[in-house]
Structure formats: C-alpha cells, structure tokens
Amino acid sequence: MSNLEQTLIVVKPDGFKKGIVGKIISRFEEKGFQIMNLKSFQFDTDTARKFYDAHKDKHFFNELVSFICSGKTVGCILEGNNAISTVRLMVGNTKSTEAQPGTIRGDFGLGFTDNIIHASDSAESFIKESKIIFN
Ligand code: CMP
C-alpha cells in the first residue's frame, strides 16, 4: 500500500558552495522521488526568521538565520511514497559528525548549523515551509 506524500528539501549555502546540488537531487531521483518544483534563491533575514520560526527561542537561532542567509540555496519539492520520513532518513542525523555513512549529511558534511541540507519534519512543516519558499 502506498502513502503518496510531498516534502521540501533545501540545499543550504554550504551544500551549494560545495557544488553538490546535482549529486543531492540525483539521490532523491534515483530513490524514486519526483521533482515537483525546484528553485535557486537566497534567503533574506525576514524570510529565514519565518522559515525557522519553530527554533526562535533556541540559543542557536541567530546563528541559524545568519548561516542560511549567507549564500545561495536550492529549494525542492519532492513527491513519492512516504516522502517525509524517507527523505529524513536519507538526510541523516542533524549533527553531521553523527550522521550515518550513506546519508547525505554523513557523506558530505561535518557541521551542525552548516549541515548541507534541510528537510521538512512533518506534513504541517512541509505546508508552512513550502508556502514560504514557493509562495
Ligand atoms: P535543519 O534541519 O535545517 O533544522 C534546524 C536547524 O538548526 C538544523 O538543521 C541545524 O542546522 C540547526 N541546529 C539544530 N540544533 C543546533 C545546535 N544545537 N547548534 C547549532 N545549530 C543547530
């Protein structure tokens, strides 16, 4: 039985600067997800603060906003079976040094704030975040 879902990923400025946007998107295509929307853009502070609103009381909020605004990013809506949880599995642990090899953060990053990629953690987050990025 399939559970068709959509989710959002954002390749962060460190992933963009490293030149691995294509490699990252390919992983999702090879897994079987379809690209429903794709956009290259740079966050401004207001948009970043809205995007990361759930973290507004955390000690790392300002660092997070400043990092996501520091360079170009790529937003992508993916569709497929169990997209939200499967994409999060492929992305790996938030702390890249603890992410399993074979995951995107495990293979491409070493950072925490700069952890290559963001992926929506729920259907509600996907709706909120994709509205912010794709209007
Ligand atoms: P992301 O998936 O974009 O969602 C929120 C982000 O906050 C997370 O990835 C990390 O980049 C960042 N983050 C979470 N916890 C910490 C922390 N303790 N210190 C710094 N950054 C963090």
Side-chain angles (χ1 to χ4, degrees):
M1 206 174 73
S2 91
N3 173 36
L4 192 67
E5 285 179 339
Q6 291 193 346
T7 193
L8 173 86
I9 59 121
V10 177
V11 180
K12 298 187 181 186
D14 53 335
F16 190 97
K17 283 188 192 120
K18 239 178 157 176
I20 53 171
V21 172
K23 274 189 185 167
I24 291 172
I25 306 265
S26 284
R27 287 191 176 205
F28 294 118
E29 283 199 302
E30 284 167 4
K31 180 72 175 165
F33 292 111
Q34 290 194 319
I35 296 169
M36 308 307 285
N37 216 335
L38 185 67
K39 175 179 171 182
S40 182
F41 67 104
Q42 186 156 352
F43 276 90
D44 58 44
T45 306
D46 279 357
T47 309
R49 291 179 76 89
K50 271 186 217 143
F51 187 80
Y52 278 129
D53 181 63
H55 300 287
K56 66 175 185 297
D57 297 326
K58 309 260 174 69
H59 67 90
F60 56 83
F61 182 66
N62 288 340
E63 182 188 334
L64 186 56
V65 167
S66 137
F67 173 67
I68 201 76
C69 294
S70 68
K72 288 194 81 173
T73 63
V74 169
C76 179
I77 293 179
L78 297 167
E79 183 178 279
N81 190 18
N82 278 330
I84 295 168
S85 59
T86 306
V87 165
R88 297 267 300 176
L89 265 183
M90 291 173 71
V91 161
N93 194 301
T94 308
K95 204 173 191 175
S96 304
T97 51
E98 290 174 10
Q100 291 285 317
T103 64
I104 291 167
R105 288 170 176 156
D107 289 349
F108 297 123
L110 285 171
F112 199 170
T113 303
D114 49 337
N115 59 358
I116 307 285
I117 183 168
H118 168 87
S120 302
D121 63 4
S122 64
E124 296 70 34
S125 300
F126 163 69
I127 290 165
K128 189 199 122 193
E129 293 169 358
S130 56
K131 269 189 196 150
I132 291 170
I133 290 176
F134 290 100
N135 304 310

